[in-house]
Amino acid sequence: MRKITLLYLFLFFLFLLYSSFVFANWTRCYDPNTEVTVQGKITFFDPYHRGGPQRFWLQVDDKRILVFLAPWWFLEKKKITFKVGDEVEVVGCKFYNDAGQICLIARKVVDLTTQKTYIFRHPNGTPCWRGKRHQRPYQ
Amino acid sequence: MRPYKGLLLFLFVLSFFMLFNIYRLHRFALEAASRLLETRGFDIAVNLEFLLQDKGLQDKQLFKNILNSLCWPDLAYLALIREDGSIVLHSNPNLIGHRLNPSSIRDIFKTKHPRYYYQPLLTQEKVFVFDFPCHLHEKKKIRYFLLRVALHPYPAFQVIKQARLQIGIMLFVLVFLWALAIYVWRLWQKNLVLQQRIWRQRQLASLGEMAAILAHEIRNPLAKIKGFAQLHKERLGEAIFGKRPLNAQLFIDLQIGLSTIVENTAQLERLANELLTFAREEKFKEEEVDLFSLCQEVIEELKHLSVWSEKNPVLSVDCPQPLYLKTNREKMKQVLINLLQNALEAIEKGGEIKLMAKKERRRIILSVCNNGPIIPPSEQTKIFQPFFTTKAKGTGLGLAIAKKWVEAIGGEIDVESHPNRTCFVMRF
């Protein structure tokens, strides 16, 4: 009985650890200071990804960049989808995650193959899926 | 010092050195990362200053293009700021024209010295900011600007990460060593308790064995004494009441009976004395003893024993003159008498006994050999045990006392038995 309780506690600890990693990227906010524009090819995109924000891997020259987009339901609502191999231009703020990977929080993605532009955040960085009352001025 | 105290001391010293090294390693890593970022920030700032002096401030996309090229992936952002806090150039052109709080940058313009610090961003990342004062041409005038170079610290922090990994390994090893030491200590404690229990059981067993032997040794002479005493009491009673004639034969029988009683009483007395000698804890006074003169003295004493005249042995002494040994003279003499008496009792009539003493390297070796019967290997291990005897009238304490005294003097005694030759060898 005691062993089973300990096992449950261990599993709960693992879940907390996992969720802290997953939601770490949710709690990050957009900082316009580090905004960049990069152009590259999508190497990985999982449209059914549900744990955390939707993302894809972008190959820019010799660098791989992880691009965070928006919640999955926002992409579904706006009928936004990407395919591996799509040429895209991403405008977003750059940061390094805990694993040492270069990441972008996308504000705008332009699909260069279809010439479609997808806006995920307002120019001040507030998310488009949140509504106008959550918008904040530049800091 | 007990072994676990030594182990504990060793662990404490090791832990101290390891913790000291961990502290030093961590400090070194922090310093190295900080220096790396400073140098990087300075390099980029100087390069940009030259570029701005060359190209001027008209190109609003200059910083953006630098950042977008990702040639410096660790670059977080770039900004050129006027003294009033307004942003002239920025890697995000949308921020050009925005104004910073002038008080935050005033002292840089005052001191004209670069400044570095960590700035938290909204991305929850702390970037390393290098504020570099530089003078540039603006509208044909030389003005002071603040060039801000912000760097992602992650690549530089790899040094700290590696150091932390090393520290983790070192701490793990330290904890493992402590756990191992505690485990060994507990095992040692258990072993100690077990040893004590075994020792107590052995003591009890040997005590029981000794009591049985002792009872046997006492009962035999006592039975004889009792038997003869009862027999002569009855005979004397019969003589007094006229049932037996009071003649010379009765007195002769009485004399024989009383002699047996005295002889057995003497044996009991000797047993009691030897037992006391064996049991007594004594402290010996040591002195320089000439072994040659001691051997001569022992032989002279031995010649007065009845067993000497019975066996009439061929005795040879091989001892250099003089040969000194630091020991207790009386005890050494008694040991030699015991061994020689033992040899005398073992040999046939006219047998050989050899007493040898020699110095070999730094040790003195004394041996008493005889050509008596061989001692079987099974008996060789028991020969020094108390009450072990193969003789009818022996107490079995002579050799046990000899071993005890030899060890008390600081030597060791062994028996070597071959056909026609049995030797008791003492090494000091």
Side-chain angles (χ1 to χ4, degrees):
Chain A
M1 190 67 194
R2 202 177 155 199
K3 276 182 186 172
I4 293 168
T5 315
L6 279 173
L7 185 72
Y8 279 135
L9 278 173
F10 180 69
L11 288 175
F12 181 65
F13 171 74
L14 280 183
F15 169 74
L16 284 182
L17 206 70
Y18 171 74
S19 44
S20 70
F21 276 111
V22 167
F23 293 106
N25 293 322
W26 272 113
T27 54
R28 292 181 196 275
C29 296
Y30 195 90
D31 196 311
N33 273 309
T34 61
E35 192 175 278
V36 287
T37 307
V38 289
Q39 206 173 307
K41 199 181 265 184
I42 296 171
T43 55
F44 178 81
F45 175 69
D46 176 15
Y48 304 107
H49 174 74
R50 295 293 179 264
Q54 276 286 13
R55 57 199 127 173
F56 59 67
W57 280 96
L58 193 70
Q59 188 72 39
V60 182
D61 300 329
D62 59 334
K63 290 174 188 68
R64 284 185 83 215
I65 298 173
L66 182 61
V67 182
F68 293 101
L69 304 164
W72 61 272
W73 54 264
F74 182 76
L75 268 79
E76 273 193 5
K77 190 179 163 189
K78 298 277 177 186
K79 294 189 172 54
I80 301 169
T81 187
F82 298 98
K83 289 194 303 294
V84 172
D86 280 358
E87 277 280 338
V88 287
E89 186 188 81
V90 182
V91 179
C93 82
K94 185 169 73 122
F95 67 94
Y96 273 82
N97 67 4
D98 296 331
Q101 296 155 335
I102 304 174
C103 303
L104 288 184
I105 298 175
R107 182 167 72 78
K108 184 172 88 177
V109 177
V110 181
D111 193 334
L112 296 174
T113 44
T114 58
Q115 290 302 321
K116 280 183 182 171
T117 302
Y118 307 111
I119 307 287
F120 297 105
R121 287 169 187 268
H122 299 290
N124 62 357
T126 47
C128 294
W129 59 89
R130 269 198 189 168
K132 280 185 181 173
R133 63 192 177 90
H134 289 289
Q135 289 186 15
R136 55 181 164 69
Y138 275 124
Q139 287 180 338
Chain B
M1 191 189 283
R2 288 188 176 181
Y4 73 85
K5 280 189 180 171
L7 182 73
L8 211 65
L9 188 73
F10 169 74
L11 268 175
F12 269 118
V13 171
L14 187 77
S15 306
F16 173 75
F17 276 109
M18 278 182 89
L19 288 173
F20 180 68
N21 271 333
I22 284 170
Y23 168 73
R24 278 193 57 190
L25 184 67
H26 194 246
R27 272 204 63 180
F28 174 77
L30 282 177
E31 217 166 282
S34 181
R35 290 258 181 274
L36 206 69
L37 285 168
E38 274 173 48
T39 317
R40 181 100 174 114
F42 187 79
D43 278 353
I44 292 172
V46 169
N47 278 319
L48 285 176
E49 188 187 15
F50 279 119
L51 193 72
L52 289 169
Q53 278 172 354
D54 186 38
K55 291 206 169 181
L57 307 178
Q58 284 73 37
D59 187 3
K60 303 289 179 195
Q61 301 291 318
L62 180 68
F63 285 178
K64 186 191 173 185
N65 292 339
I66 289 170
L67 229 80
N68 288 353
S69 70
L70 292 177
C71 59
W72 291 326
D74 56 337
L75 202 59
Y77 70 91
L78 292 169
L80 189 72
I81 304 156
R82 271 203 203 93
E83 199 170 354
D84 61 354
S86 60
I87 298 170
V88 184
L89 290 175
H90 199 284
S91 51
N92 180 1
N94 292 333
L95 298 180
I96 294 172
H98 284 263
R99 192 178 280 253
L100 299 176
N101 185 5
S103 61
S104 64
I105 51 171
R106 195 173 293 144
D107 53 330
I108 296 192
F109 284 100
K110 212 181 272 179
T111 58
K112 311 259 184 317
H113 282 303
R115 182 182 69 164
Y116 53 86
Y117 55 94
Y118 286 93
Q119 182 193 18
L121 295 182
L122 292 172
T123 52
Q124 292 192 353
E125 189 187 19
K126 268 187 181 176
V127 289
F128 178 84
V129 177
F130 187 77
D131 281 347
F132 184 70
C134 55
H135 55 274
L136 300 165
H137 291 273
E138 191 187 30
K139 293 171 187 170
K140 294 180 183 174
K141 276 183 185 174
I142 294 176
R143 279 186 182 169
Y144 263 101
F145 290 89
L146 175 76
L147 181 60
R148 180 167 285 179
V149 178
L151 296 167
H152 293 292
Y154 185 84
F157 278 4
Q158 281 293 89
V159 181
I160 298 173
K161 212 176 171 183
Q162 284 298 322
R164 282 187 182 153
L165 187 72
Q166 293 277 335
I167 287 166
I169 291 168
M170 280 163 91
L171 283 173
F172 176 76
V173 168
L174 199 64
V175 169
F176 177 75
L177 273 177
W178 271 100
L180 196 71
I182 290 166
Y183 178 70
V184 168
W185 182 73
R186 286 191 66 179
L187 269 188
W188 186 73
Q189 288 282 328
K190 271 186 189 172
N191 186 37
L192 213 66
V193 170
L194 209 67
Q195 268 183 358
Q196 275 177 351
R197 210 175 286 168
I198 290 169
W199 180 80
R200 214 172 293 142
Q201 275 174 355
R202 273 190 193 156
Q203 285 285 95
L204 282 172
S206 64
L207 200 70
E209 198 181 335
M210 207 169 88
I213 294 166
L214 203 60
H216 177 73
E217 289 294 321
I218 293 167
R219 205 167 50 186
N220 279 352
L222 267 180
K224 282 181 191 170
I225 291 165
K226 191 184 166 191
F228 276 100
Q230 274 179 341
L231 180 72
H232 292 297
K233 185 192 160 198
E234 280 170 23
R235 280 181 181 175
L236 270 175
E238 284 169 3
I240 289 164
F241 294 108
K243 288 180 184 172
R244 182 185 279 267
L246 194 66
N247 56 12
Q249 187 55 45
L250 182 73
F251 283 109
I252 290 166
D253 285 350
L254 195 64
Q255 174 66 23
I256 293 166
L258 285 173
S259 300
T260 313
I261 289 171
V262 168
E263 198 182 302
N264 280 289
T265 316
Q267 196 185 333
L268 279 177
E269 193 183 5
R270 200 172 69 242
L271 177 69
N273 286 340
E274 284 192 358
L275 205 62
L276 276 175
T277 312
F278 180 69
R280 197 181 295 142
E281 284 295 327
E282 286 177 293
K283 282 186 179 172
F284 306 134
K285 272 187 185 173
E286 290 190 342
E287 56 185 313
E288 289 289 338
V289 176
D290 178 18
L291 288 177
F292 183 78
S293 66
L294 185 74
C295 288
Q296 296 302 326
E297 204 179 312
V298 167
I299 291 162
E300 280 309 310
E301 267 192 40
L302 217 66
K303 280 178 181 171
H304 293 106
L305 294 176
S306 57
V307 70
W308 180 276
S309 46
E310 267 175 41
K311 299 282 172 83
N312 195 20
V314 179
L315 180 76
S316 60
V317 181
D318 180 8
C319 178
Q321 192 183 356
L323 181 64
Y324 288 103
L325 174 67
K326 200 172 183 187
T327 183
N328 181 281
R329 192 181 176 84
E330 280 312 305
K331 298 298 173 197
M332 197 65 218
K333 190 176 159 185
Q334 197 56 49
V335 167
L336 282 175
I337 287 172
N338 276 9
L339 292 177
L340 282 167
Q341 203 173 341
N342 202 55
L344 269 173
E345 284 164 1
I347 57 167
E348 299 289 321
K349 197 172 182 181
E352 284 176 22
I353 296 175
K354 199 169 184 183
L355 179 58
M356 287 183 292
K358 60 179 177 181
K359 192 167 188 178
E360 207 175 81
R361 291 179 190 171
R362 293 171 68 187
R363 304 186 90 183
I364 285 175
I365 298 170
L366 256 167
S367 55
V368 178
C369 300
N370 65 70
N371 64 345
I374 187 170
I375 303 171
S378 58
E379 286 182 8
Q380 282 179 28
T381 51
K382 297 177 189 168
I383 207 159
F384 294 108
Q385 284 178 9
F387 302 112
F388 178 80
T389 183
T390 52
K391 295 172 223 158
K393 286 191 174 177
T395 57
L397 285 168
L399 285 175
I401 291 169
K403 184 179 167 67
K404 188 187 165 188
W405 282 349
V406 167
E407 282 173 358
I409 293 163
E412 52 193 53
I413 185 166
D414 279 317
V415 62
E416 293 166 5
S417 191
H418 310 289
N420 297 324
R421 192 180 165 87
T422 298
C423 289
F424 285 89
V425 186
M426 291 174 278
R427 293 178 181 87
F428 295 96

